[in-house]
Amino acid sequence: MPPKLLIVEDESKIARFLELELTHEGYEVDKVEDGRAAVEAALSADYDLILLDVMLPQLNGMEVLRRVRREKDVPVIVLTARDAVMDKVAGLDAGADDYITKPFAIEELLARVRVALKRREAAASAPEAPEKPAPSGQVLSARGITLDVEGREVNYDGTPIELTQREFEVLKTLLENLNIVMSRERLAELACGYDFVGETNIIDVYIRHLRAKIDDRFNCKLITTVRGVGYVIRED
Ligand code: CA
């Protein structure tokens, strides 16, 4: 059975183009043109991947993503406008697996689709993770912050801090590399795990979020910007 893909795109030219290219690659393809139809389709059929435009009639892509995510863990690649950094971050935080900016090169989109499908396949065939993480997991700390890697908990001086998955990964990467100035590229690679070439301003957004949640709230200085280089957490 070929992988089954859902295209959610209201610009019919783009939708048609994607349908032709993806069908040509051997995928089975459905397409819908608005947010409501997207949620309905995604929840009533089992898709292997969803390509989701953000600007849609009825419900926008983020809302579609949130509604689908509540019930399904199907991989979602969000299609965003080139400069919509906040859309990308919001998409990733809402549970998108990847994003691609419009206008896109079809080869790049096909490559991203292959990667997302492969990751899904690998996750499906991986042995079940143990129910509970070992309590004696690794704990990273500096400057009042404590991060429990397996428990996925972060505290400042004992006060719990809620972080999204990617904020957590960025903070963890900085704590794992104390005193080492990390470039945006390196942070993106280590924290997000795949190629963010040309999109490293995403890291600036995560750093801003972390500063709002930690530095501003607790009136401390956790993450230092090294102008022109990147970011670092220095030991006390
Ligand atoms: Ca659109």
Side-chain angles (χ1 to χ4, degrees):
M1 286 261 286
K4 200 172 164 187
L5 274 52
L6 177 65
I7 299 169
V8 185
E9 170 62 83
D10 60 318
E11 284 163 77
S12 52
K13 255 176 145 171
I14 299 180
R16 181 79 190 123
F17 171 64
L18 283 172
E19 185 184 31
L20 283 172
E21 291 287 340
L22 291 163
T23 307
H24 182 73
E25 290 295 303
Y27 300 116
E28 194 184 326
V29 177
D30 288 343
K31 63 178 166 42
V32 293
E33 294 181 352
D34 69 70
R36 255 177 234 293
V39 173
E40 245 179 65
L43 296 184
S44 61
D46 279 326
Y47 289 100
D48 297 296
L49 180 90
I50 299 174
L51 286 172
L52 178 63
D53 185 30
V54 176
M55 300 291 282
L56 289 169
Q58 308 281 347
L59 284 178
N60 76 32
M62 293 304 154
E63 188 53 33
V64 171
L65 182 55
R66 274 188 284 272
R67 293 191 189 188
V68 172
R69 264 291 161 272
R70 282 205 288 263
E71 305 195 25
K72 297 212 166 183
D73 66 350
V74 47
V76 175
I77 298 179
V78 171
L79 306 173
T80 70
R82 182 164 296 285
D83 294 319
V85 178
M86 290 316 296
D87 277 355
K88 291 166 198 168
V89 172
L92 293 171
D93 283 350
D97 297 80
D98 201 353
Y99 60 80
I100 193 158
T101 51
K102 291 198 221 177
F104 49 80
I106 189 65
E107 296 76 19
E108 191 192 354
L109 185 130
L110 294 174
R112 302 286 188 105
V113 166
R114 280 193 294 272
V115 168
L117 288 171
K118 214 175 272 174
R119 236 189 270 144
R120 176 180 168 79
E121 213 172 282
S125 61
E128 284 283 302
E131 284 270 300
K132 276 187 182 166
S136 60
Q138 190 194 2
V139 172
L140 305 167
S141 64
R143 307 184 81 92
I145 278 286
T146 308
L147 181 146
D148 178 342
V149 176
E150 284 168 20
R152 301 198 75 81
E153 284 174 3
V154 180
N155 285 278
Y156 184 84
D157 257 349
T159 307
I161 300 166
E162 289 284 331
L163 298 181
T164 66
Q165 193 198 331
R166 283 184 167 81
E167 288 162 7
F168 181 92
E169 293 299 332
V170 170
L171 179 60
K172 173 169 156 263
T173 304
L174 286 169
L175 286 169
E176 281 170 341
N177 295 279
L178 276 186
N179 302 317
I180 301 170
V181 180
M182 305 291 285
S183 67
R184 290 169 178 79
E185 290 76 13
R186 191 86 183 108
L187 269 176
E189 189 185 324
L190 291 173
C192 302
Y194 53 93
D195 197 6
F196 265 74
V197 172
E199 302 287 349
T200 52
N201 48 1
I202 289 268
I203 292 298
D204 298 330
V205 177
Y206 287 126
I207 296 286
R208 268 207 306 280
H209 287 183
L210 285 170
R211 282 179 169 152
K213 289 180 176 182
I214 301 169
D215 298 42
D216 298 352
R217 180 170 166 207
F218 299 100
N219 196 22
C220 64
K221 187 152 175 40
L222 181 68
I223 301 167
T224 305
T225 304
V226 180
R227 206 170 284 277
V229 188
Y231 298 102
V232 60
I233 296 180
R234 298 194 197 280
E235 267 176 294
D236 317 65

